[in-house]
């Protein structure tokens, strides 16, 4: 349990590390952030397939393929529904900007809130990995998610400051998005620890959420600023790094 808690703090803390980098380097180029995010997407893709989806098939037994496919789609649909239900909370941090700034602030806070909400299933994915009992795979999954959180933390700082949110509140919001991931990790671990019968479905569900995030958010973002070639190779490198790591530690 101590290892799970430390990993949860590490996964959530990666967002804070990214936020600190974002404060120090406020004008990070799109090309650099796209390359880093694409590398993280490759890492997460490998972690989702090797650490969650394949083990789901193995633990599922006779009906493994049905459970795994169902879990992947349920996970993806859940995130799709979350995307549609994220509320418009321009007063989330207590700022009262002039009316002409409301739209911009609203857009930025929706972006931050969406990150926080999506961090919950990502945290659950890390926790479910530990629930499987394979510590090596669980650490690989958590490492991939943590790596993705660093550029995520970097990119949320500048938009919030530009929207008029004070630096202290900006940093607090970044910390909250990381805390959500810590909570998700503990939920995932405790859920599959209480009922091992849920493990195959939970693994596939977590894998589905990660695949959805990669396809719906990370890849489009990395291809939106003219760096798609570099982003593609960065994704492949990230995937292969995790593949080699898995083989060497397996």
């Amino acid at each position: 349990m101590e290892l799970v808690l430390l990993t949860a703090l590490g996964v959530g803390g990666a967002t804070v590390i990214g936020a600190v980098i974002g404060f120090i380097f406020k004008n990070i180029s799109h090309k650099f952030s796209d390359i880093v995010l694409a590398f993280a997407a490759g890492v997460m893709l490998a972690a989702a397939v090797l650490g969650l989806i394949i083990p789901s098939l193995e633990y599922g037994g006779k009906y493994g393929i049905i459970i795994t496919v169902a879990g992947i789609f349920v996970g993806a649909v859940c995130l799709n529904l979350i995307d549609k239900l994220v509320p418009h909370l321009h007063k989330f941090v207590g700022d009262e900007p002039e009316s002409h700034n409301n739209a911009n602030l609203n857009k930025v806070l929706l972006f931050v809130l969406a990150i926080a909400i999506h961090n919950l299933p990502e945290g659950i994915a890390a926790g479910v990995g530990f629930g499987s009992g394979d510590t090596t795979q669980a650490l690989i999954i958590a490492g991939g998610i943590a790596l993705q959180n660093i550029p995520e933390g970097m990119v949320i700082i500048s938009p919030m400051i530009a929207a008029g949110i004070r630096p202290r509140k900006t940093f607090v919001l970044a910390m909250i998005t990381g805390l959500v991931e810590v909570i998700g990790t503990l939920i995932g671990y405790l859920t599959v620890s209480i009922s091992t019968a849920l493990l195959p479905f939970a693994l596939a569900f977590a894998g589905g959420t990660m695949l959805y995030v990669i396809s719906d958010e990370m890849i489009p973002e990395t291809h939106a600023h003219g760096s798609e070639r570099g982003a593609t190779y960065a994704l492949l490198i990230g995937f292969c790094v995790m593949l080699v790591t898995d083989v060497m530690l397996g």
Side-chain angles (χ1 to χ4, degrees):
M1 184 64 185
E2 289 182 6
L3 181 59
V4 175
L5 183 58
L6 288 173
T7 303
L9 293 173
V11 169
T15 302
V16 179
I17 293 172
V20 171
I21 296 173
F23 271 114
I24 297 173
F25 304 100
K26 292 185 175 64
N27 297 314
I28 297 172
S29 69
H30 275 306
K31 183 175 183 179
F32 177 78
S33 61
D34 287 346
I35 295 299
V36 174
L37 190 60
F39 179 84
V43 170
M44 286 183 65
L45 180 60
V49 174
L50 300 174
L52 295 169
I53 294 172
I54 291 178
S56 172
L57 287 168
E58 294 172 348
Y59 286 115
K62 181 179 178 181
Y63 300 104
I65 186 64
I66 296 174
I67 295 171
T68 300
V69 171
I72 289 171
F73 275 94
V74 171
V77 169
C78 283
L79 276 193
N80 188 209
L81 291 175
I82 287 172
D83 282 342
K84 294 180 181 298
L85 297 174
V86 173
H88 291 254
L89 298 177
H90 69 270
K91 296 183 180 179
F92 184 70
V93 293
D95 287 78
E96 294 291 346
E98 296 295 327
S99 59
H100 65 275
N101 286 332
N102 275 355
N104 186 39
L105 179 62
N106 186 56
K107 181 179 179 181
V108 170
L109 291 181
L110 278 175
F111 171 60
V112 175
L113 186 60
I115 287 176
I117 291 173
H118 285 102
N119 278 354
L120 184 63
E122 287 177 13
I124 291 174
V128 166
F130 278 102
S132 69
D134 190 336
T135 303
T136 300
Q137 282 288 359
L139 290 173
I140 289 174
I141 295 166
I145 294 171
L147 184 62
Q148 181 256 347
N149 286 343
I150 294 176
E152 194 173 79
M154 289 163 53
V155 301
I156 66 176
I157 297 301
S158 292
M160 285 195 285
I161 291 177
I165 302 174
R166 292 189 295 274
R168 181 178 296 180
K169 286 188 176 180
T170 297
F171 189 70
V172 169
L173 281 173
M175 289 183 63
I176 290 174
T177 64
L179 179 62
V180 169
E181 199 134 20
V182 174
I183 294 171
T185 302
L186 297 177
I187 291 174
Y189 173 73
L190 292 174
T191 299
V192 295
S193 296
I194 292 171
S195 177
T196 55
L198 293 174
L199 182 58
F201 182 83
L203 287 167
F205 178 93
T209 62
M210 290 177 69
L211 291 177
Y212 182 93
V213 169
I214 293 164
S215 177
D216 186 64
E217 298 177 21
M218 298 177 72
I219 292 177
E221 174 64 23
T222 61
H223 286 228
H225 311 109
S227 304
E228 55 270 14
R229 182 73 58 85
T232 298
Y233 281 108
L235 184 148
L236 293 174
I237 292 170
F239 185 92
C240 290
V241 166
M242 291 302 286
L243 184 64
V244 171
T245 302
D246 181 71
V247 171
M248 291 180 66
L249 296 179

